[in-house]
Amino acid sequence: MLKLFWALPFVLAIGYYSYLNYEQFVAMNYLSMIPVVVFLVLIYPLVSFLHVLAEDRIPLYKRIYRLWLTANFLNEQGFYYEKASGKQGGRSKKKFPKVYLKQGKYDLRLYLGTQGSKFQDRFSRIGSELETTYFMDFMNKIDEEKFVVYELAYSAFLNRIEAKDVVLNDNYELVLSKVVKWSMTENPHLLIVGGTGGGKTVLLREILVGLLKKCIVYIGDPKRADFVPMEDLDVLKGRVFFEKEDIAKMVGDFKQTMNNRYDYMRKIAKERSERELGRFDTYGLKPTILMIDEWNALMASLNRNAKVGGQMIDDLLEIILKGRQVGSYVILAMQKPTYDDLPTKLRDNMMHHISMGRLSDSGYQMTFGDENANKKFRFIERLNGKKVYGRGYSAIFGLPAQEFYAPNLTAGFSFFDIFETYSRIENPHEPNYQGDVDKEDDVETQDLIDLDEPIDLPIQTLSDSTDFKTIGELSKSIGKSFGQIKKLIDVIEKGGFKKFKRDNGKVVLTEEDCLLLEGLFDSFESFDGTWKEMVSIHFDRDADN
């Protein structure tokens, strides 16, 4: 019908031309007939081209076309009532049931009437058929009082963002497109699946653009290729591993870090007299991320050492089951989530799944679960005549998958240039942290976050420090974190008010120092100003006395 709309101007043009050249036609002037023949030959391909072009470029035309698609689908599938004609030999009339179509910018809702309809049972099972009809992704089916509602998504390509725009927002949602976000607190742990060349590794790097600025990330790269060079960056120094034994140890250390964070949170909760343990960010903790690429290859390389591989799986399972509350999350990338490499208990507790490139039917089934068993997963190699990169599907586990396009890499974009601008976030809870024994976190409070970087001071080596306390020991006795005490010391030293002694590079405190710091913390609770202002007032007062 819509093609006839485009054909009408050409038919009228041919008719008008024939009218003007009627005498030539009667006289069988073949030269005058040639334009008509050419028009008749070209009219169908030309009309088809205009139809496709308008469908792609004109939103109103696309909406009208979908209305026609809906009517055609109902007619072809037999979703109509027949009413016999009152005249003998007359044609029966067709009547469609109640059907409404609501079209948005990126989605479509189809309302199918069910109350008393003879089609109500069939209407509840046509999700996959609608995907094929509209060439969209079936997102959800909602049962309402009088209708069954199908939600379908389209124009996923228009939702694509650039790699530089990947961010972790204040709600701990990693923005991967205009509509796809990984909420690490609501849907912890991310599984990325895709064959060779599908774009998994590029997506992991794009994810780092958003994570490294606000999170502590540890990376396992068994391929020794894409992430190993990043170990030279300050933000990832000592946090990238490629030997299989080192990766297994990284997982074990990450588990211990998670448990240390639990201990720290319980301690602070007890000091606050809290009955319930809160979320990690209420205790000043940053998210910690365990990212491993090519998980299948890592497990294959550990087959000869079943003890190491088995322990790593146990450690990973504990992290996935317990890590959410303390902000410890896992990202795994692999070619196929087989049971041998990723047991079902692990896979089903990784709540956000993404596929990249083309997977087999069984690969899609294992990645997105039984809820998408009837979904038609499409592999699109070209879009509007251009080769497609970074296309896949995304879903929260247990919900329908939707089409997804990974962030776009623009010309001149460099991951290393971005990562070099990020400041390193220390993690005093990790087992191998090179700091004082207490390993308290850098709690960000309003009075300390504005401090500059600690200054370099000359080290005073003491032959015997048994009469001194460490910062960690003072922290335990006064209930303040290691990070808070250390930064207060930096304020005092950088202001030139006092130099603290050091033993082998570490600050050691006399009894007088401990009383001073404890008194400053007590005074600040009732002080209306900054730490720098209070420290200055305190030492100026002592000088006057």
Side-chain angles (χ1 to χ4, degrees), residues 425-436:
I425 304 173
E426 294 299 334
N427 184 12
H429 296 287
E430 62 186 18
N432 58 345
Y433 178 66
Q434 299 299 315
D436 282 287

Side-chain angles (χ1 to χ4, degrees), residues 407-421:
N408 187 40
L409 290 178
T410 54
F413 179 82
S414 170
F415 289 108
F416 283 87
D417 289 346
I418 293 288
F419 297 152
E420 283 177 346
T421 66

Side-chain angles (χ1 to χ4, degrees), residues 45 82 192 253 296 329 339 396 490 513:
E82 283 192 278
I192 301 174
D253 289 345
N296 298 108
Y329 305 110
Y339 175 80
I396 296 170
D490 289 337
D513 294 336

Side-chain angles (χ1 to χ4, degrees), residues 122-162:
R122 289 178 62 192
F123 277 165
S124 65
R125 303 192 306 269
I126 62 172
S128 59
E129 296 176 57
L130 294 175
E131 279 192 311
T132 303
T133 300
Y134 293 108
F135 202 69
M136 299 180 187
D137 282 315
F138 166 52
M139 298 302 302
N140 197 14
K141 185 185 78 170
I142 304 171
D143 292 311
E144 295 187 355
E145 183 178 353
K146 298 180 181 180
F147 296 91
V148 57
V149 184
Y150 285 93
E151 293 181 343
L152 297 101
Y154 57 91
S155 300
F157 185 78
L158 300 178
N159 296 322
R160 196 172 202 177
I161 63 174
E162 294 184 7

Side-chain angles (χ1 to χ4, degrees), residues 319-532:
I319 295 166
I320 287 176
L321 294 179
K322 291 172 50 179
R324 177 182 181 180
Q325 190 164 10
V326 294
S328 297
Y329 305 110
V330 175
I331 300 175
L332 294 184
M334 57 198 310
Q335 293 192 16
K336 191 174 182 180
T338 61
Y339 175 80
D340 292 337
D341 293 337
L342 193 69
T344 305
K345 194 171 184 179
L346 280 173
R347 185 174 67 239
D348 289 357
N349 281 282
M350 301 187 74
M351 299 309 296
H352 197 124
H353 295 185
I354 293 177
S355 72
M356 297 300 297
R358 179 188 298 180
L359 298 182
S360 64
D361 291 340
S362 60
Y364 283 118
Q365 178 73 16
M366 286 185 286
T367 303
F368 296 108
D370 295 336
E371 291 76 12
N372 291 277
N374 296 322
K375 183 177 180 64
K376 184 176 179 61
F377 290 96
R378 300 185 296 269
F379 176 71
I380 299 177
E381 195 168 13
R382 292 185 175 275
L383 191 66
N384 296 331
K386 296 182 179 179
K387 189 171 178 60
V388 174
Y389 296 97
R391 182 188 176 276
Y393 288 87
S394 169
I396 296 170
F397 187 71
L399 295 179
Q402 61 177 304
E403 188 179 15
F404 166 69
Y405 286 87
N408 187 40
L409 290 178
T410 54
F413 179 82
S414 170
F415 289 108
F416 283 87
D417 289 346
I418 293 288
F419 297 152
E420 283 177 346
T421 66
Y422 291 168
S423 299
R424 181 181 180 86
I425 304 173
E426 294 299 334
N427 184 12
H429 296 287
E430 62 186 18
N432 58 345
Y433 178 66
Q434 299 299 315
D436 282 287
V437 293
D438 195 50
K439 298 180 182 180
E440 295 294 356
D441 197 30
D442 252 353
V443 178
E444 289 186 329
T445 53
Q446 184 250 332
D447 47 284
L448 292 178
I449 56 174
D450 294 331
L451 300 183
D452 296 326
E453 292 295 321
I455 58 173
D456 294 324
L457 296 169
I459 297 174
Q460 301 176 8
T461 303
L462 305 178
S463 59
D464 184 6
S465 61
T466 56
D467 295 333
F468 297 88
K469 281 187 177 181
T470 65
I471 295 177
E473 291 170 334
L474 177 62
S475 172
K476 289 180 179 178
S477 64
I478 68 174
K480 299 298 180 182
S481 77
F482 173 85
Q484 286 178 303
I485 297 173
K486 181 66 172 66
K487 287 191 174 182
L488 177 54
I489 289 172
D490 289 337
V491 172
I492 296 171
E493 291 187 321
K494 192 168 184 179
F497 301 109
K498 176 181 174 60
K499 299 289 187 184
F500 291 87
K501 292 184 173 64
R502 282 170 166 74
D503 185 13
N504 294 324
K506 295 182 180 180
V507 173
V508 290
L509 306 168
T510 65
E511 184 177 352
E512 182 183 352
D513 294 336
C514 293
L515 292 173
L516 167 67
L517 295 173
E518 185 176 4
L520 288 172
F521 277 113
D522 290 340
S523 299
F524 189 75
E525 292 181 2
S526 59
F527 181 74
D528 186 18
T530 68
W531 272 103
K532 292 181 181 180

